[in-house]
Amino acid sequence: QVQLVESGGGSVQAGGTLRVSCAASGYTLSNGCMGWFRQAPGKRREAVAIESYGGGSTWYADSVKGRFTLSQDNAKNTLSLQMNSLKPEDTGMYYCAAEPTRAYCPAIPFDGFDYRGQGTQVTVSS
């Protein structure tokens, strides 16, 4: 049984940094695609960063390019999102998702990923 468990959310002031992590059990990183989505109150859930292992590419939303970075620890089977220069508009629930059968996933909505975590809250104050 696959489980994705997010951690590392919290509250920070604008300009600060946070790192959220997704620990996967029953799932091997480097299969298909894996990444992060977020949902702000009253807004649609959006993709933030997606690693497409089949295509060997990393995709970032324009709003986070240059500020957010994906990384993974294969020994811990964990995918992390380092978030720097945070802005109030980065506030939201951050969700991890994994999709084992596709090679390229930035266009796939959150609900299209086979495995999805419960989320961790990130709050950025001005």
Side-chain angles (χ1 to χ4, degrees):
Q1 184 179 357
V2 175
Q3 277 194 316
L4 303 177
V5 179
E6 301 95 336
S7 62
S11 298
V12 66
Q13 288 193 324
T17 65
L18 279 175
R19 185 181 182 90
V20 290
S21 294
C22 175
S25 59
Y27 187 89
T28 302
L29 273 63
S30 304
N31 284 340
C33 307
M34 195 165 178
W36 289 91
F37 291 75
R38 69 184 179 190
Q39 187 168 23
K43 294 190 176 181
R44 295 177 63 181
R45 189 173 285 148
E46 62 177 353
V48 175
I50 306 288
E51 186 71 48
S52 298
Y53 298 109
S57 66
T58 307
W59 174 91
Y60 295 97
D62 287 343
S63 58
V64 307
K65 279 181 184 175
R67 300 188 299 120
F68 289 14
T69 305
L70 275 177
S71 65
Q72 67 183 63
D73 183 333
N74 290 331
K76 296 182 179 179
N77 222 33
T78 298
L79 182 75
S80 296
L81 183 67
Q82 178 68 38
M83 303 182 290
N84 299 331
S85 302
L86 282 161
K87 304 175 181 180
E89 51 264 43
D90 294 318
T91 293
M93 188 70 79
Y94 281 67
Y95 300 89
C96 175
E99 169 52 51
T101 65
R102 299 176 188 265
Y104 185 73
C105 296
I108 307 301
F110 181 72
D111 291 343
F113 281 66
D114 274 358
Y115 307 112
R116 305 179 292 275
Q118 295 299 306
T120 185
Q121 178 68 36
V122 170
T123 302
V124 185
S125 58
S126 57

